[in-house]
Each structure stands twice: as C-alpha cells, then as structure tokens.
Amino acid sequence: MIGEKKWSPNKIWALGMICFMFGLTMIIMLLGDQSISLVSFFFLITALVALYFPWEFLLIQIILASGLTFLILYEHTHRLTLLQWLLYTFVYLFIGIAVNREIDAIRQIQRHETEMSALSDISTSLTKTLDLCDLTNQVVDQIFSLFQADGCTIYLMEDEEKSLRVISARESQSDPDILTSILNNHPRVGFGLVGWIAATGEAVLSGDAEHDPRAIHIPGTPYDDESVMGIPLKLEGETFGVLWIYTLSLNAFSKDDLQLAQIFANQVSVALANARLYEHVRCLSETDSLTGLLNSRSLTDLTERAINHAQTTKGKVSLLFIDCDNFKGINDHFGHPVGDQYLRFFAKLLLETVREGDAVVRYAGDEFVILLPKTPLEAAVSIAERLLETTRVRIMENNPLLQTTISVGLAVYPLHAMTAEELIKHADDALYCSKRNGKNQLSIYDPKSKGISNLSS
C-alpha cells in the first residue's frame, strides 16, 4: 500500500539472539561432556532473552536447544552431566518465565501510565484550538508519537454520506506522489476497509491489510506488508469520519493498541465536531446570505493576507470596487424580489469573470469588490474592462428586459496604497470618480488628484 518494507530493531535483535544461542548450542554439542562450563553462560543469555521477548519465545528457545543437546549427547555424555543439563534447563526455564511475566507486568503498568498521561496531554491540547487545519495536524502528530506509526489519514463524510474525503494525511516516507494518491483517494462508503468502517461504525484491526479480503488497494501506492487500525469517528452515535493508522510491518498492532486508539478517537471526534461547527459558523458569518459570496467582514483580512504575501514575493495586489449603475431604478420598477434576483445573477457573473485564487465580495447593497492577488495594474485593467463589456451585453434569463451597466474603481498595492485599509478606500474613491464622470466606466486611483484619473470603456 504505502512506503517500503523495513525491519524493526526488535526483529533484528531477536534474530541475532536466536543465531547466537543456537551457535552456542552447537559448541556445547561439539565439546560434549566438557561443555558443562558453558551451561551457566547459556542460561545467562536465556535470562537476558526473558527480559526483552515474550515467554513463548523463551520456552521454544530452551526446549529446542536442550532437546537437541540431549539427543546428541545422550550416548557420549556422563549421566551426571546430562542430569545437570536437564536440571539447569527446567530451573532456568521457570525462572525465565517468572522474570518475563514480572517484567511484562511492570512494562504494562508503565505503558498504561504513559498512555494515560499522553491522553490527558492530548485532551488538553485538542481543546486549545478550533482551527480545523491546526487540529488535524495535532492529531497526526500525536498518532505518530503514540503508536510509532508510519502513516495516518483522517477521512470525513461528504456527498450525503456516500463517500469520504481526506482532510489530513501524512506518511513517514514523504513521497509526494504517494501522498498525492492518498489525498486524491475518495473511498466510497461500504467499499474497502475505510468504507467498511464508515458503513458499519466498527473499528478494524488488521495485521496484513494488503491481503485483507475487505481491502481495496489505493492506486498509485506500492504493495507492502502493512498493519492497520481503522477507527470510526462518531458524534452522538453517528459515524462522520474515519481515523486510519498504519505501520509498515505485519501484526504490529495489538488489541491494547486498538483500545487506546479508540479512546483517542473519541477525544478526536469531539474536537473535530467542535472545529467543524466553528468553521460552519465562521463561514456563515463571513458569507452573504443572498448571493453566497463573501461579505465585507472578510475583506480586510483577505486583503491583508494578499498584501503580506506580495511583500514577501515583491508582487502586486489589485482591488476592484464595483457598483451597479441605477440599481435603485431596478428595485423601483420591478420590485425588490427582482432586484434580489438580479444581485444573485450579477454575483454569478462576477464569479464567471474572475480567475482561480481571486476573491469576490459583496460589500454592501449593490456594491461588490474583487480582490486580485498577484495582479499588476495592466492585468487588473484588462479584467475590469472585460467585466464592463460582459455586464453590458448579458441579460438576466428570467427577465430579458432587465439590463444595466456598472461603474468600477481600481487601486493597486504598492502603487496606490501600502495597507489593506488604504487599498480598499482608494479603490472606493476611484469608484466614485467613475460615478461622477457618467458611470459605465473604469477609474484608476490617482494619488495626486485622489481618484480623478479615469478610463472610459
């Protein structure tokens, strides 16, 4: 699926210990009854193994080594030496298992304390931000820290809960092509492991995700050994997303890991729900209810950000202030409902005119603003003139008799202004120059005469 196969330090250490102990066993077999001096050393190594590996590994190691030695030395070894060997085998076997269990219990307690402390820290940090981007970055950081993960993806429902989209993704290999494939992946609810989790609301623990019958391979990612945990993100019992965690080795996650991930996901669900609600409320507060455009509350912030970027890149920022000529006459002649209908039509026309990255704002009434980042004076003039011409010839579909013109004012950073407030004000000054000079035209702010320079079209 993602990334490259790798050996963990524990696996390398285990393989080394296996080779060493069987090598020592072979030496003991070759020395015969003279090997009794190596027995204590053999079981010292066994005790070290008990500290770091599961007791099952210890049991298999001792039984294999002792059994093999017994079979080889039975005919050629003094009975007392053989009995000593067997006695050492059983004594150290039980000692090793006891030590192993005790060490494992201590580690479980330490791990539990560490996890609870981490969850407490996570809970505190997640409540400190309502910004969705910052929040998801924090979640991914904590996932990598808690589970030594190689990747994490957060999915949210979309399209009336028929598919999921990625809102955050990270993978340890930092391959841009792989990351692009993940970001562009939109799992369908009910299909693949992620879709299965979204559809059933049940968590998934898979030690070999690539061969899981429920899995669907992500196009553009390699085939690798991969362990995954997938946890549904829920609010009031309803699944609204999926937290996906993976590492590039087989059977890497335990049931304890899954339990911890579920506790973590519960905290993430609440934090994400709050952040999404905040984003929705903020969007409503910055959006004009009639046209769906941004409203004037967001204009200064957007302009400041565009200017800050322009300062860094030594670029230009242009701003068009637009007013619908004789709009009051439309309301008086056709009524306010038709006037509102025309404003929606005009907002759509503006959106069709601008480029990707430009911002269209309904400032107030029939006044609109177009913010043009990375746009010098000449390009802004071309856009304004095209908009003037389009407005003259376009008519509203539901009322072919309704047609009007616009007046436009233009100011450019840093040619006409150095701050966001100045840029907005000077474009507004230029607009009123157009209106005073007969409307249906573009005026460019003139610092010397404060908006008297105009271009008729």
Side-chain angles (χ1 to χ4, degrees):
M1 287 208 183
I2 301 166
E4 298 178 357
K5 187 177 179 179
K6 63 182 182 180
W7 283 80
S8 68
N10 279 346
K11 285 186 176 181
I12 296 172
W13 208 86
L15 181 61
M17 289 300 298
I18 291 172
C19 294
F20 179 79
M21 292 184 73
F22 274 103
L24 188 59
T25 302
M26 295 301 295
I27 294 174
I28 292 172
M29 289 189 293
L30 290 174
L31 291 177
D33 56 3
Q34 299 176 3
S35 67
I36 193 64
S37 61
L38 295 176
V39 171
S40 296
F41 184 62
F42 176 88
F43 284 108
L44 176 62
I45 299 299
T46 301
L48 291 175
V49 170
L51 294 176
Y52 292 97
F53 297 103
W55 68 269
E56 295 91 347
F57 176 84
L58 176 71
L59 179 63
I60 292 170
Q61 178 66 38
I62 292 180
I63 290 175
L64 286 177
S66 298
L68 185 59
T69 305
F70 180 82
L71 291 174
I72 298 295
L73 302 182
Y74 182 73
E75 296 292 337
H76 307 287
T77 305
H78 191 275
R79 187 178 298 273
L80 179 61
T81 303
L82 205 57
L83 289 174
Q84 283 181 300
W85 178 261
L86 290 173
L87 180 62
Y88 276 130
T89 297
F90 286 109
V91 169
Y92 280 94
L93 173 61
F94 286 111
I95 291 174
I97 291 176
V99 170
N100 181 272
R101 290 293 182 88
E102 189 67 26
I103 293 294
D104 186 61
I106 293 172
R107 285 181 179 149
Q108 288 291 342
I109 293 172
Q110 290 176 337
R111 177 181 176 179
H112 179 74
E113 291 177 349
T114 302
E115 289 172 352
M116 291 304 101
S117 176
L119 287 173
S120 176
D121 293 341
I122 290 167
S123 180
T124 301
S125 64
L126 291 183
T127 57
K128 288 182 178 179
T129 179
L130 288 171
D131 182 84
L132 194 58
C133 182
D134 289 344
L135 178 63
T136 54
N137 285 335
Q138 285 190 32
V139 169
V140 174
D141 287 341
Q142 298 290 356
I143 288 292
F144 270 71
S145 175
L146 272 177
F147 302 103
Q148 288 76 52
D150 287 314
C152 175
T153 308
I154 302 174
Y155 296 89
L156 292 184
M157 294 278 201
E158 65 173 3
D159 297 337
E160 297 179 353
E161 300 186 352
K162 293 181 180 179
S163 66
L164 298 108
R165 65 182 175 90
V166 177
I167 63 165
S168 183
R170 190 184 305 170
E171 56 94 25
S172 59
Q173 301 301 315
S174 300
D175 187 320
D177 294 332
I178 294 175
L179 197 56
T180 299
S181 298
I182 297 171
L183 292 171
N184 291 335
N185 182 43
H186 292 266
R188 293 174 59 197
V189 174
F191 295 86
L193 275 172
V194 174
W196 187 87
I197 296 166
T200 63
E202 297 179 11
V204 162
L205 175 64
S206 178
D208 186 6
E210 194 65 67
H211 298 98
D212 193 299
R214 297 165 296 183
I216 296 176
H217 185 78
I218 299 176
T221 63
Y223 292 86
D224 287 296
D225 292 341
E226 185 178 348
S227 300
V228 303
M229 293 189 292
I231 305 95
L233 299 173
K234 295 183 177 182
L235 186 65
E236 297 180 352
E238 295 294 325
T239 300
F240 68 88
V242 173
L243 179 62
W244 184 256
I245 308 165
Y246 71 85
T247 190
L248 300 174
S249 57
L250 298 177
N251 302 310
F253 297 125
S254 66
K255 290 183 179 179
D256 289 338
D257 291 324
L258 180 62
Q259 185 178 13
L260 177 63
Q262 288 176 309
I263 296 172
F264 178 75
N266 290 338
Q267 295 181 336
V268 172
S269 295
V270 175
L272 279 175
N274 290 337
R276 292 176 74 195
L277 178 61
Y278 171 77
E279 289 286 328
H280 178 66
V281 172
R282 186 176 63 83
C283 182
L284 289 177
S285 70
E286 295 179 353
T287 303
D288 174 55
S289 59
L290 177 64
T291 61
L293 300 177
L294 296 170
N295 61 29
S296 58
R297 293 180 183 177
S298 58
L299 178 59
T300 301
D301 181 56
L302 288 172
T303 308
E304 284 178 348
R305 277 190 268 173
I307 288 177
N308 289 337
H309 184 269
Q311 288 174 341
T312 304
T313 60
K314 300 188 184 303
K316 306 288 191 299
V317 178
S318 295
L319 191 141
L320 300 174
F321 224 115
I322 303 163
D323 181 81
C324 295
D325 297 332
N326 304 316
F327 180 73
K328 184 177 181 301
I330 295 175
N331 278 334
D332 292 343
H333 189 268
F334 295 98
H336 287 281
V338 175
D340 290 346
Q341 189 179 4
Y342 181 79
L343 289 176
R344 287 192 290 269
F345 160 76
F346 184 68
K348 183 179 178 182
L349 186 149
L350 292 178
L351 291 172
E352 292 173 355
T353 303
V354 300
R355 309 155 303 178
E356 184 177 356
D358 298 338
V360 182
V361 176
R362 185 187 180 196
Y363 191 77
D366 60 328
E367 291 183 330
F368 296 81
V369 171
I370 300 179
L371 178 65
L372 304 168
K374 307 175 187 177
T375 307
L377 176 64
E378 296 77 10
V381 169
S382 177
I383 292 171
E385 289 178 339
R386 186 169 68 249
L387 181 60
L388 282 161
E389 181 60 29
T390 301
T391 308
R392 293 188 192 109
V393 300
R394 286 282 294 273
I395 57 176
M396 199 167 70
E397 294 84 351
N398 296 337
N399 198 331
L401 298 178
L402 184 58
Q403 198 171 12
T404 188
T405 58
I406 57 173
S407 298
V408 184
L410 169 62
V412 180
Y413 164 88
L415 183 61
H416 304 132
M418 297 303 296
T419 67
E421 290 79 5
E422 287 180 349
L423 189 64
I424 296 168
K425 181 180 183 304
H426 292 169
D428 191 28
D429 291 340
L431 166 65
Y432 279 94
C433 174
S434 292
K435 295 178 75 69
R436 285 194 304 268
N437 291 335
K439 305 179 182 179
N440 190 24
Q441 59 188 274
L442 165 67
S443 294
I444 302 171
Y445 180 77
D446 185 347
K448 295 180 180 179
S449 54
K450 296 186 177 180
I452 300 177
S453 172
N454 69 287
L455 297 174
S456 299
S457 295

